[in-house]
Amino acid sequence: MRSLILSGILILSLIFGILPAFATPGDILQAFPLPTEHATGLTYDGKHFWVADRLTDSLYALNPKNGAVVRQLPSPGFIPRGLAWDGKYLWCVDQNEQRILQLDTKTGETIHSVESPTSSIQGITWDDGTLWIVDDRADVLCQISPTDGTTIEEFRAPNGHSTGLTMWRDYLLCGDRTENRIYLIDPKHDGEVIYSLPAPGEYVRGLTTIKETLWAVDFQTDSLYAIEVEGNDWIRTSDRHPLELTLIHEFINYGPGDVTSADIHIAVPRTLPSQNILEGPTFTPEPDEIIEDNWHQKVAVFHPSSTDLSERTRIQMRVAVELSAVEWYVLPDKVGTLDEIPGDIADMYLADGDKFRIHDPRIQNAVREAIGDETNPYWMMRGIHKFIRERLHYELSGGWNVAPRVLERGNGSCSEYTFAFIAMCRAAGIPARYVGAVSNRGDEASTDDVFHRWSQVYFPGYGWIHVDPQGGDKSKPADIAGFIGHIANRYLITTEGGGGSNLLGWSYNYNSNWKAKGPVKVYTEVFGEWQPVVK
């Protein structure tokens, strides 16, 4: 009895928009089975859920408290898909006839019919006098006139396998059946994906909202789920993966002269939201000291003897770590203004640097073109991100050019993408810095000798958010968003820096400097060896 009472309280709280004490976007707040086994569309008319069933060709009105069938109507079409409620009438997509039908639920009569502008509409929703549709074959999101189906606006769909569609505030929410995600989309900003939620099942179909809560029909589990969209805990951690890394630094002098001294620096990783240090790091040999650089990054410092430098010098750092995928759910309207940036953050991370050159006309002109009159820091960042990905393509050609030259050249490595992105962000007044990492290459036992660097931006109200401009240089909106406010469980971040370091220079993971007498040929090799954690 107590469980039934608690369940009823939770359902009522969802209906009236009361948020649980701790909720992360994507949390399943409630679920109950559907009375049908082939549910497709879903909408809410203010009193009841309406569910379309493609096998029985019926529309079911459900009690939102328990999912019980209140009423059943014959579908106005032979293969009902998406459903939408316009405040008075129900709209239903008929896949067979490729039409969108308006239904009076009081009489069960079809009162208006519009030809579908695309051939495979999966989801439909009402938006203040217009309809939005999503088509999985044409891979488009369209805003259309309910009068005659004329297209008003059109964007690329998030990921190519779209299903349900609904409005949430001024955003669209769109399901995807292969990635098992639900994408939050801003139709006022060219259909950009803000972030994505984990779907509650393997085949999300219909979507609708009640107050602030998202409801989703899953075709595989035949269940209806309530899902949190915003939440009060905006960081989700998942897919924990324990691994052991050995970072190996080898220093070899092939002569004929002598290397008289060397300073070898290894960045020391720490526990972060995406990584939990389980053991270590330990070094072989022991470092002469561990100190912080001018960006507060800990660095292990080694001064090999002249005797060691006459042969192969090997330094190893070993660390056991639990890596996690982390998502930061950042809502643009919740980001503070540039005036709210703390002074110490602004002083450190708006400063210029040799690789940035933020006052160069090429950077200043790029910023003006990228952000225009935008004042929201989130959308300023997205404008810069879009500018970078439209003008650069990845090319690992050696060397790290300065940001203005990278933009002018039109290609770059991950570091050069990062320099250009940071330079533009700082020139626009958005604090930005970089992180560097050793990457796991897919297998638990793997080698990384390329490494990876990307950016972080500071948003008032949220703090530091990961943004990978090179990784996000994609074509699909979902793939672009997957590198904004997200980090995969394959990176051990060793380095957090804002520019030139007094210990690491403009490098990350490691750095070395040496002096010699006579002509020498010095070879430095650094690579990471990943292994599974032995339990």
Side-chain angles (χ1 to χ4, degrees), residues 402-482:
V402 298
R405 174 61 181 146
V406 172
L407 291 180
E408 186 176 64
R409 196 180 64 202
N411 61 56
S413 64
C414 63
S415 288
E416 290 173 315
Y417 269 77
T418 299
F419 295 156
F421 180 79
I422 291 176
M424 290 183 66
C425 283
R426 290 191 182 187
I430 304 170
R433 66 186 185 187
Y434 61 76
V435 294
V438 183
S439 175
N440 178 262
R441 295 297 174 178
D443 298 303
E444 289 198 335
S446 64
T447 301
D448 182 25
D449 58 1
V450 179
F451 310 126
H452 190 46
R453 169 158 38 192
W454 64 94
S455 312
Q456 291 181 321
V457 294
Y458 185 90
F459 287 147
Y462 286 96
W464 290 104
I465 304 298
H466 290 264
V467 179
D468 187 343
Q470 184 265 309
D473 191 359
K474 310 290 185 183
S475 59
K476 294 180 180 179
D479 292 340
I480 294 168

Side-chain angles (χ1 to χ4, degrees), residues 117-118 133 141-145 148-155:
T118 61
I133 61 169
L141 272 168
C142 297
Q143 185 183 31
I144 65 172
S145 166
D148 58 6
T150 301
T151 297
I152 302 167
E153 195 68 78
E154 181 176 307
F155 307 116

Side-chain angles (χ1 to χ4, degrees), residues 352-364 402-404 423 427:
D352 201 1
D354 181 59
K355 297 291 186 184
F356 304 141
R357 307 194 179 205
I358 64 177
H359 301 293
D360 186 291
R362 290 168 289 185
I363 296 297
Q364 293 290 319
V402 298

Side-chain angles (χ1 to χ4, degrees), residues 322-367:
E322 182 182 66
L323 301 179
S324 300
V326 181
E327 294 171 273
W328 286 262
Y329 295 102
V330 178
L331 277 173
D333 55 302
K334 298 294 184 181
V335 173
T337 66
L338 296 180
D339 293 336
E340 297 176 76
I341 296 168
D344 58 336
I345 297 292
D347 289 343
M348 287 189 71
Y349 299 106
L350 291 179
D352 201 1
D354 181 59
K355 297 291 186 184
F356 304 141
R357 307 194 179 205
I358 64 177
H359 301 293
D360 186 291
R362 290 168 289 185
I363 296 297
Q364 293 290 319
N365 292 337
V367 170

Side-chain angles (χ1 to χ4, degrees), residues 380-395:
M380 293 167 67
M381 178 276 293
R382 290 297 295 256
I384 293 168
H385 190 275
K386 182 179 181 181
F387 184 94
I388 293 285
R389 70 176 189 264
E390 287 181 347
R391 282 160 178 79
L392 297 184
H393 66 270
Y394 181 75
E395 185 174 320

Side-chain angles (χ1 to χ4, degrees), residues 86 137 248 299 341:
D86 66 11
R137 292 180 188 167
I248 300 168
V299 178
I341 296 168

Side-chain angles (χ1 to χ4, degrees), residues 133-142 154-163 165 172 174-176 183 185 190-193 475-480:
I133 61 169
V134 65
D135 187 293
D136 66 336
R137 292 180 188 167
D139 193 21
V140 293
L141 272 168
C142 297
E154 181 176 307
F155 307 116
R156 182 169 182 177
N159 204 41
H161 301 279
S162 304
T163 53
L165 192 66
L172 289 165
C174 181
D176 184 278
Y183 298 103
I185 302 160
D190 299 325
E192 296 269 22
V193 172
S475 59
K476 294 180 180 179
D479 292 340
I480 294 168

